[in-house]
Every structure is written in C-alpha cells, then in structure tokens.
Amino acid sequence: MNRRQVLGVIVGGVAAACLPSIAVSAQSYDDARDVYAALRGRPDLKLAIGGGDIFVVFAEGSSALDRDRVAAWIQRSAVAVSTYFGRFPVQRVGLLVIGGEGDHVGPATTYGMESSAMRLHVGADASEAKFRNDWVLVHEMVHLALPNVPRRSEWLLEGNATYVEPIARAQAGQITPQEVWRWAVEDMSKGQPGPGDEGLDHTHTWGRTYWGGAMFWLLAEIAIYEKSAGRYRLQDALRAINRASGGNTTYWEVEQVLAAGDAAVRLDVLMALYNDMKDRPVHVDLDHALQQLGISEVDGDIRFDDGAPLAALRRSITAAPPRG
Ligand SMILES: [Zn+2]
C-alpha cells in the first residue's frame, strides 16, 4: 500500500488524516471534546522543542506502550517541523496518545479550537523502525503551522502538509533527498484534474485535496525562486504565514494567508496561483517541473542532474537551513 493513501477531512477547524480503519481499543475519543477533556489532566510528559512546549497525555488503557519509544518519536517529529519553520510552529500543544493493540502508528488528528491539540493512535507492537519511518506525526505537526481556512480550501492545508512533511524530515537529516523527491515522481500526478474538475476550491476528491494541493505548493516554490532570482523560497513565505497567524488556532480567509506569504517574499505569486487554480482545472506540466529541477527515475532509482536549470533550488529545498 502506498504510504500516502491518506483520507482526510476538515470539520469545524479540525484537520484530520485518517489511515485505513484499524481496531482501536477502549474509548476512541471520536469527539473532540473528549480529547480536550483528557488533555486537561496532568501531563505524563513535557517536551520543550524549538521554543514550543509539548504536553503529552497517555490515555487510559495505554499502559502497554513503550513510553520512551513514543517520546523519541514525538521529539524527532517536532525537530523536523521546527527545522523547517525555524521554530516549533505553536507555543504549546497537547498530545493525547491512545494505545491499542497492533503495530499501527497513526491515525492522527489535529485540532485548533480553544488550543492546539492532537489525538494519536499507536499500537503497542509498533516497532522502533516503524516509529522511525513514520511520516504521519510530521504531517500533523505541519498542520499546526498554518491558520485554518474555509472548508472549500482544505486542499491548501492538506497540500501544504503533504508538500512540507518529507522536506522537513530531509532538512533535519532524517530522510534522504531521494526519498523526498520519489514522492513527487511517483505520487504527485494523482493531483492532476480529472473529468468534470472545477478547480481546487470546488473539487474535493482525495487526489485533488492532497496531491493537487501539493502541486500548488510545488509551483509556488518554483515561482518564488524564479521571480525573486533565487533570493527567496517558499519556506520564507510559510515561516512568515506561521509567524503572522500564530498557527492553527487562528481562522483566516485564504487571501489573508496568501497575502502574508507574498508580502514576505515581495511578490504576488501565491495569490496569482490561487486565482489561476481555484475555479478551473489546471493541468500542471509536472514532467517539465521535475526536469527543470533535475529529478528523474531510472531503473527504480531517483537520479539528480546538477546541470538542470533549477538544480540549485532542488538542492536548497532539502538542505539544512541556516540556524537562527
Ligand atoms: Zn492532513
């Protein structure tokens, strides 16, 4: 199964990434109020990473979990998002870890109501390797960084988490650039418009929401770099949106999000792309974009061409950002 076969919904400021259904034990905390109520209890663990405080509560019935292993997983994921955003994207977040039978890591759900919160399902038999290779928690933590937007534009947030997650892990040295770009080569075309598509704001399929959204952000990455003659990257815009909004407990219109990003890079790239793609099907020339970046797949291997026009952008996207 493809690792990114994710189903997602956003309901009333709740961004959810759901893996195929798995058996979860005892109380499932389906109601966000139950999650918040559980998080009001005394935290079992507190982690301070990237200037943010992460309060972890293990739900009742989670005694079989290896808490050190879970803590290391949360820490590693938080380091990845903090590397990308230059700090942990919110000042504080509560994580409710719900242990169950099996070896699953996820599903997970992010909430931005009264405060930032997450619900994480973890199987007691999940191996060290499974935690180390997990992308779900990094994806969810990227959701903390951007404000909530109207539901029709859920793709903006899901696409952002899909686009940023592997890049954040690569910048933190957790995965290779080849692993990052394999996802674009093999999966991104799932975001192309199909028959009857009416644009990203009106076509709420899984492919358009996650991969159509990710393509939007890849196009933004390239356009910001090209139009600023290499001075700015998408990361600068996303950091600015995170700083201005304070993260996922805020509700903004899409235009406000994009204007904050555009202002940071002194362009109108994000707004122009949105106006182009929101109401009509836009087929992205993905092959051309990957060729420009110098990315190809040969006999199953991801290969890089340093002579490609945008090779420097490709290298900088996954390079460790300067500190500070
Ligand atoms: Zn998501």
Side-chain angles (χ1 to χ4, degrees):
M1 189 193 75
N2 186 288
R3 74 193 187 101
R4 256 166 246 281
Q5 296 289 351
V6 188
L7 302 170
V9 288
I10 288 184
V11 182
V14 180
C18 313
L19 294 174
S21 65
I22 43 110
V24 289
S25 69
Q27 190 178 351
S28 62
Y29 296 93
D30 283 340
D31 190 326
R33 282 171 298 190
D34 295 339
V35 175
Y36 279 94
L39 287 171
R40 267 178 224 118
R42 198 176 125 94
D44 294 302
L45 186 68
K46 184 189 160 194
L47 299 170
I49 296 163
D53 289 326
I54 302 172
F55 297 93
V56 183
V57 172
F58 288 93
E60 272 180 45
S62 301
S63 57
L65 287 183
D66 181 335
R67 293 192 176 195
D68 290 343
R69 195 174 273 181
V70 171
W73 168 58
I74 293 169
Q75 161 124 16
R76 192 165 46 244
S77 303
V79 165
V81 288
S82 300
T83 301
Y84 189 86
F85 287 98
R87 69 173 194 193
F88 193 71
V90 291
Q91 284 183 339
R92 54 182 292 150
V93 61
L95 266 55
L96 179 65
V97 179
I98 303 162
E101 292 176 2
D103 65 352
H104 54 278
V105 174
T109 307
T110 301
Y111 305 90
M113 293 157 161
E114 62 204 68
S115 58
S116 295
M118 266 184 215
R119 179 186 67 188
L120 310 170
H121 291 280
V122 176
D125 298 329
S127 65
E128 174 74 33
K130 195 140 187 181
F131 278 113
R132 207 172 323 109
N133 295 327
D134 169 67
W135 59 270
V136 171
L137 185 50
V138 179
H139 174 105
E140 293 303 316
M141 285 182 171
V142 174
H143 278 313
L144 297 174
L146 267 54
N148 280 296
V149 297
R151 217 173 150 185
R152 68 174 180 277
S153 303
E154 178 195 352
W155 60 268
L156 191 81
L157 306 181
E158 292 303 347
N160 190 251
T162 303
Y163 181 76
V164 170
E165 166 260 311
I167 292 170
R169 293 165 70 204
Q171 289 191 355
Q174 298 173 3
I175 61 172
T176 64
Q178 280 82 0
E179 288 175 85
V180 173
W181 294 114
R182 179 176 293 285
W183 110 134
V185 170
E186 294 185 350
D187 293 327
M188 205 173 257
S189 61
K190 293 171 188 162
Q192 298 285 15
D197 192 281
E198 295 176 350
L200 287 167
D201 269 357
H202 311 282
T203 312
H204 302 140
T205 59
W206 171 83
R208 291 292 271 158
T209 300
Y210 286 85
W211 291 110
M215 282 201 295
F216 170 88
W217 291 109
L218 175 65
L219 292 181
E221 180 91 83
I222 292 172
I224 288 171
Y225 183 83
E226 284 187 326
K227 293 195 175 170
S228 71
R231 183 163 178 206
Y232 293 111
R233 288 180 309 149
L234 175 63
Q235 191 164 5
D236 300 305
L238 292 174
R239 286 183 176 195
I241 293 166
N242 174 246
R243 300 301 188 275
S245 65
N248 79 323
T249 52
T250 306
Y251 181 90
W252 276 8
E253 294 298 327
V254 171
E255 287 80 1
Q256 200 177 351
V257 176
L258 303 180
D262 276 339
V265 297
R266 298 158 199 254
L267 294 165
D268 68 348
V269 163
L270 297 174
M271 200 72 82
L273 265 179
Y274 177 61
N275 287 332
D276 191 35
M277 298 175 82
K278 66 179 173 158
D279 297 324
R280 64 188 191 95
V282 175
H283 185 93
V284 175
D285 192 347
L286 207 48
D287 289 344
H288 177 72
L290 293 173
Q291 201 176 43
Q292 293 277 301
L293 289 162
I295 300 164
S296 61
E297 188 174 24
V298 182
D299 297 333
D301 289 335
I302 298 299
R303 300 267 177 89
F304 296 139
D305 173 11
D306 278 339
L310 296 176
L313 170 61
R314 186 201 71 236
R315 285 193 301 266
S316 79
I317 287 172
T318 54
R323 294 184 72 88

mmCIF file of all heavy atoms in Angstrom, residues 252-279:
data_model
loop_
_atom_site.group_PDB
_atom_site.id
_atom_site.type_symbol
_atom_site.label_atom_id
_atom_site.label_comp_id
_atom_site.label_asym_id
_atom_site.label_seq_id
_atom_site.Cartn_x
_atom_site.Cartn_y
_atom_site.Cartn_z
ATOM 1 N N TRP A 252 -8.348 32.159 9.198
ATOM 2 C CA TRP A 252 -8.115 33.216 8.206
ATOM 3 C C TRP A 252 -8.803 32.856 6.896
ATOM 4 O O TRP A 252 -8.965 31.678 6.560
ATOM 5 C CB TRP A 252 -6.619 33.370 7.916
ATOM 6 C CG TRP A 252 -5.864 34.237 8.874
ATOM 7 C CD1 TRP A 252 -6.323 34.785 10.045
ATOM 8 C CD2 TRP A 252 -4.492 34.645 8.739
ATOM 9 N NE1 TRP A 252 -5.316 35.497 10.641
ATOM 10 C CE2 TRP A 252 -4.194 35.433 9.872
ATOM 11 C CE3 TRP A 252 -3.495 34.415 7.781
ATOM 12 C CZ2 TRP A 252 -2.920 36.003 10.065
ATOM 13 C CZ3 TRP A 252 -2.238 34.973 7.963
ATOM 14 C CH2 TRP A 252 -1.964 35.770 9.096
ATOM 15 N N GLU A 253 -9.136 33.891 6.120
ATOM 16 C CA GLU A 253 -9.528 33.668 4.735
ATOM 17 C C GLU A 253 -8.276 33.286 3.945
ATOM 18 O O GLU A 253 -7.155 33.672 4.317
ATOM 19 C CB GLU A 253 -10.136 34.939 4.126
ATOM 20 C CG GLU A 253 -11.454 35.368 4.760
ATOM 21 C CD GLU A 253 -12.557 34.328 4.592
ATOM 22 O OE1 GLU A 253 -12.577 33.621 3.564
ATOM 23 O OE2 GLU A 253 -13.398 34.204 5.510
ATOM 24 N N VAL A 254 -8.470 32.544 2.860
ATOM 25 C CA VAL A 254 -7.328 32.112 2.052
ATOM 26 C C VAL A 254 -6.498 33.314 1.582
ATOM 27 O O VAL A 254 -5.257 33.294 1.618
ATOM 28 C CB VAL A 254 -7.803 31.291 0.836
ATOM 29 C CG1 VAL A 254 -6.655 31.017 -0.123
ATOM 30 C CG2 VAL A 254 -8.409 29.974 1.296
ATOM 31 N N GLU A 255 -7.202 34.375 1.179
ATOM 32 C CA GLU A 255 -6.497 35.548 0.650
ATOM 33 C C GLU A 255 -5.544 36.144 1.691
ATOM 34 O O GLU A 255 -4.472 36.651 1.356
ATOM 35 C CB GLU A 255 -7.501 36.619 0.198
ATOM 36 C CG GLU A 255 -8.243 36.262 -1.087
ATOM 37 C CD GLU A 255 -9.402 35.292 -0.881
ATOM 38 O OE1 GLU A 255 -9.656 34.894 0.285
ATOM 39 O OE2 GLU A 255 -10.048 34.932 -1.884
ATOM 40 N N GLN A 256 -5.954 36.070 2.957
ATOM 41 C CA GLN A 256 -5.125 36.607 4.038
ATOM 42 C C GLN A 256 -3.853 35.755 4.210
ATOM 43 O O GLN A 256 -2.746 36.281 4.405
ATOM 44 C CB GLN A 256 -5.951 36.592 5.324
ATOM 45 C CG GLN A 256 -5.465 37.520 6.405
ATOM 46 C CD GLN A 256 -6.378 37.502 7.627
ATOM 47 O OE1 GLN A 256 -7.475 36.916 7.600
ATOM 48 N NE2 GLN A 256 -5.942 38.138 8.692
ATOM 49 N N VAL A 257 -4.030 34.464 4.099
ATOM 50 C CA VAL A 257 -2.884 33.544 4.202
ATOM 51 C C VAL A 257 -1.880 33.845 3.087
ATOM 52 O O VAL A 257 -0.673 34.005 3.328
ATOM 53 C CB VAL A 257 -3.349 32.068 4.079
ATOM 54 C CG1 VAL A 257 -2.153 31.123 4.091
ATOM 55 C CG2 VAL A 257 -4.338 31.716 5.186
ATOM 56 N N LEU A 258 -2.410 33.928 1.874
ATOM 57 C CA LEU A 258 -1.529 34.079 0.719
ATOM 58 C C LEU A 258 -0.881 35.467 0.684
ATOM 59 O O LEU A 258 0.288 35.605 0.299
ATOM 60 C CB LEU A 258 -2.314 33.812 -0.569
ATOM 61 C CG LEU A 258 -2.972 32.416 -0.604
ATOM 62 C CD1 LEU A 258 -3.727 32.211 -1.903
ATOM 63 C CD2 LEU A 258 -1.944 31.300 -0.402
ATOM 64 N N ALA A 259 -1.633 36.481 1.114
ATOM 65 C CA ALA A 259 -1.066 37.832 1.146
ATOM 66 C C ALA A 259 0.092 37.905 2.139
ATOM 67 O O ALA A 259 1.110 38.562 1.875
ATOM 68 C CB ALA A 259 -2.150 38.849 1.511
ATOM 69 N N ALA A 260 -0.042 37.226 3.269
ATOM 70 C CA ALA A 260 1.043 37.230 4.262
ATOM 71 C C ALA A 260 2.291 36.553 3.693
ATOM 72 O O ALA A 260 3.420 37.012 3.912
ATOM 73 C CB ALA A 260 0.591 36.523 5.540
ATOM 74 N N GLY A 261 2.082 35.477 2.940
ATOM 75 C CA GLY A 261 3.220 34.785 2.328
ATOM 76 C C GLY A 261 3.850 35.623 1.229
ATOM 77 O O GLY A 261 5.077 35.756 1.144
ATOM 78 N N ASP A 262 2.996 36.203 0.380
ATOM 79 C CA ASP A 262 3.506 37.029 -0.719
ATOM 80 C C ASP A 262 4.283 38.246 -0.206
ATOM 81 O O ASP A 262 5.310 38.628 -0.774
ATOM 82 C CB ASP A 262 2.344 37.499 -1.603
ATOM 83 C CG ASP A 262 1.957 36.458 -2.657
ATOM 84 O OD1 ASP A 262 2.796 35.590 -2.967
ATOM 85 O OD2 ASP A 262 0.823 36.534 -3.171
ATOM 86 N N ALA A 263 3.788 38.846 0.868
ATOM 87 C CA ALA A 263 4.467 40.030 1.416
ATOM 88 C C ALA A 263 5.883 39.676 1.862
ATOM 89 O O ALA A 263 6.825 40.464 1.692
ATOM 90 C CB ALA A 263 3.663 40.598 2.593
ATOM 91 N N ALA A 264 6.045 38.495 2.407
ATOM 92 C CA ALA A 264 7.362 38.085 2.920
ATOM 93 C C ALA A 264 8.388 37.915 1.806
ATOM 94 O O ALA A 264 9.577 38.105 2.028
ATOM 95 C CB ALA A 264 7.227 36.791 3.715
ATOM 96 N N VAL A 265 7.900 37.554 0.610
ATOM 97 C CA VAL A 265 8.843 37.339 -0.492
ATOM 98 C C VAL A 265 8.740 38.450 -1.548
ATOM 99 O O VAL A 265 9.330 38.365 -2.627
ATOM 100 C CB VAL A 265 8.644 35.947 -1.139
ATOM 101 C CG1 VAL A 265 8.932 34.850 -0.109
ATOM 102 C CG2 VAL A 265 7.230 35.771 -1.702
ATOM 103 N N ARG A 266 7.984 39.484 -1.229
ATOM 104 C CA ARG A 266 7.855 40.681 -2.065
ATOM 105 C C ARG A 266 7.397 40.365 -3.492
ATOM 106 O O ARG A 266 7.928 40.887 -4.482
ATOM 107 C CB ARG A 266 9.181 41.438 -2.114
ATOM 108 C CG ARG A 266 9.609 41.928 -0.749
ATOM 109 C CD ARG A 266 11.093 42.176 -0.707
ATOM 110 N NE ARG A 266 11.574 42.203 0.663
ATOM 111 C CZ ARG A 266 11.923 43.298 1.309
ATOM 112 N NH1 ARG A 266 11.859 44.467 0.733
ATOM 113 N NH2 ARG A 266 12.340 43.224 2.552
ATOM 114 N N LEU A 267 6.420 39.460 -3.574
ATOM 115 C CA LEU A 267 5.879 39.053 -4.871
ATOM 116 C C LEU A 267 4.363 38.884 -4.727
ATOM 117 O O LEU A 267 3.822 39.019 -3.629
ATOM 118 C CB LEU A 267 6.478 37.710 -5.296
ATOM 119 C CG LEU A 267 7.982 37.670 -5.594
ATOM 120 C CD1 LEU A 267 8.462 36.228 -5.630
ATOM 121 C CD2 LEU A 267 8.292 38.361 -6.916
ATOM 122 N N ASP A 268 3.697 38.563 -5.842
ATOM 123 C CA ASP A 268 2.275 38.210 -5.720
ATOM 124 C C ASP A 268 2.027 36.814 -6.300
ATOM 125 O O ASP A 268 0.991 36.521 -6.865
ATOM 126 C CB ASP A 268 1.377 39.250 -6.391
ATOM 127 C CG ASP A 268 1.545 39.239 -7.899
ATOM 128 O OD1 ASP A 268 2.510 38.589 -8.376
ATOM 129 O OD2 ASP A 268 0.722 39.841 -8.589
ATOM 130 N N VAL A 269 2.993 35.961 -6.101
ATOM 131 C CA VAL A 269 2.985 34.624 -6.677
ATOM 132 C C VAL A 269 1.860 33.748 -6.128
ATOM 133 O O VAL A 269 1.134 33.092 -6.875
ATOM 134 C CB VAL A 269 4.354 33.959 -6.381
ATOM 135 C CG1 VAL A 269 4.286 32.465 -6.565
ATOM 136 C CG2 VAL A 269 5.423 34.562 -7.270
ATOM 137 N N LEU A 270 1.715 33.723 -4.815
ATOM 138 C CA LEU A 270 0.731 32.827 -4.205
ATOM 139 C C LEU A 270 -0.683 33.220 -4.604
ATOM 140 O O LEU A 270 -1.506 32.374 -4.955
ATOM 141 C CB LEU A 270 0.887 32.833 -2.678
ATOM 142 C CG LEU A 270 2.231 32.323 -2.140
ATOM 143 C CD1 LEU A 270 2.315 32.521 -0.629
ATOM 144 C CD2 LEU A 270 2.410 30.840 -2.471
ATOM 145 N N MET A 271 -0.961 34.530 -4.556
ATOM 146 C CA MET A 271 -2.307 34.987 -4.912
ATOM 147 C C MET A 271 -2.601 34.708 -6.386
ATOM 148 O O MET A 271 -3.705 34.293 -6.738
ATOM 149 C CB MET A 271 -2.439 36.483 -4.617
ATOM 150 C CG MET A 271 -3.856 36.950 -4.486
ATOM 151 S SD MET A 271 -4.618 36.374 -2.948
ATOM 152 C CE MET A 271 -3.997 37.597 -1.797
ATOM 153 N N ALA A 272 -1.616 34.926 -7.232
ATOM 154 C CA ALA A 272 -1.810 34.696 -8.674
ATOM 155 C C ALA A 272 -2.071 33.210 -8.949
ATOM 156 O O ALA A 272 -2.957 32.866 -9.733
ATOM 157 C CB ALA A 272 -0.593 35.189 -9.444
ATOM 158 N N LEU A 273 -1.322 32.358 -8.287
ATOM 159 C CA LEU A 273 -1.524 30.912 -8.486
ATOM 160 C C LEU A 273 -2.909 30.488 -8.002
ATOM 161 O O LEU A 273 -3.592 29.685 -8.635
ATOM 162 C CB LEU A 273 -0.479 30.129 -7.674
ATOM 163 C CG LEU A 273 0.809 29.688 -8.361
ATOM 164 C CD1 LEU A 273 1.684 28.964 -7.340
ATOM 165 C CD2 LEU A 273 0.520 28.774 -9.549
ATOM 166 N N TYR A 274 -3.305 31.037 -6.868
ATOM 167 C CA TYR A 274 -4.625 30.705 -6.314
ATOM 168 C C TYR A 274 -5.730 31.142 -7.273
ATOM 169 O O TYR A 274 -6.651 30.372 -7.574
ATOM 170 C CB TYR A 274 -4.797 31.370 -4.947
ATOM 171 C CG TYR A 274 -6.156 31.148 -4.317
ATOM 172 C CD1 TYR A 274 -6.596 29.858 -4.019
ATOM 173 C CD2 TYR A 274 -6.988 32.218 -4.017
ATOM 174 C CE1 TYR A 274 -7.840 29.655 -3.432
ATOM 175 C CE2 TYR A 274 -8.229 32.014 -3.424
ATOM 176 C CZ TYR A 274 -8.652 30.732 -3.140
ATOM 177 O OH TYR A 274 -9.884 30.528 -2.563
ATOM 178 N N ASN A 275 -5.630 32.359 -7.765
ATOM 179 C CA ASN A 275 -6.652 32.851 -8.686
ATOM 180 C C ASN A 275 -6.699 32.022 -9.968
ATOM 181 O O ASN A 275 -7.750 31.855 -10.577
ATOM 182 C CB ASN A 275 -6.409 34.330 -9.014
ATOM 183 C CG ASN A 275 -6.767 35.211 -7.832
ATOM 184 O OD1 ASN A 275 -7.635 34.848 -7.027
ATOM 185 N ND2 ASN A 275 -6.091 36.339 -7.700
ATOM 186 N N ASP A 276 -5.559 31.487 -10.342
ATOM 187 C CA ASP A 276 -5.480 30.676 -11.550
ATOM 188 C C ASP A 276 -6.098 29.289 -11.348
ATOM 189 O O ASP A 276 -6.737 28.745 -12.256
ATOM 190 C CB ASP A 276 -3.996 30.527 -11.935
ATOM 191 C CG ASP A 276 -3.828 29.925 -13.317
ATOM 192 O OD1 ASP A 276 -4.681 30.220 -14.192
ATOM 193 O OD2 ASP A 276 -2.878 29.162 -13.527
ATOM 194 N N MET A 277 -5.922 28.715 -10.162
ATOM 195 C CA MET A 277 -6.245 27.297 -9.962
ATOM 196 C C MET A 277 -7.506 27.023 -9.149
ATOM 197 O O MET A 277 -7.968 25.886 -9.089
ATOM 198 C CB MET A 277 -5.053 26.604 -9.273
ATOM 199 C CG MET A 277 -3.781 26.636 -10.107
ATOM 200 S SD MET A 277 -2.336 25.945 -9.249
ATOM 201 C CE MET A 277 -2.576 24.188 -9.526
ATOM 202 N N LYS A 278 -8.061 28.044 -8.509
ATOM 203 C CA LYS A 278 -9.167 27.767 -7.583
ATOM 204 C C LYS A 278 -10.485 27.407 -8.274
ATOM 205 O O LYS A 278 -11.249 26.588 -7.756
ATOM 206 C CB LYS A 278 -9.391 28.957 -6.635
ATOM 207 C CG LYS A 278 -9.865 30.206 -7.334
ATOM 208 C CD LYS A 278 -10.102 31.345 -6.343
ATOM 209 C CE LYS A 278 -10.415 32.605 -7.104
ATOM 210 N NZ LYS A 278 -11.126 33.600 -6.335
ATOM 211 N N ASP A 279 -10.754 28.019 -9.434
ATOM 212 C CA ASP A 279 -12.073 27.852 -10.063
ATOM 213 C C ASP A 279 -12.054 27.096 -11.386
ATOM 214 O O ASP A 279 -13.069 27.017 -12.071
ATOM 215 C CB ASP A 279 -12.720 29.223 -10.317
ATOM 216 C CG ASP A 279 -12.980 29.976 -9.029
ATOM 217 O OD1 ASP A 279 -13.317 29.325 -8.025
ATOM 218 O OD2 ASP A 279 -12.838 31.220 -9.031
#
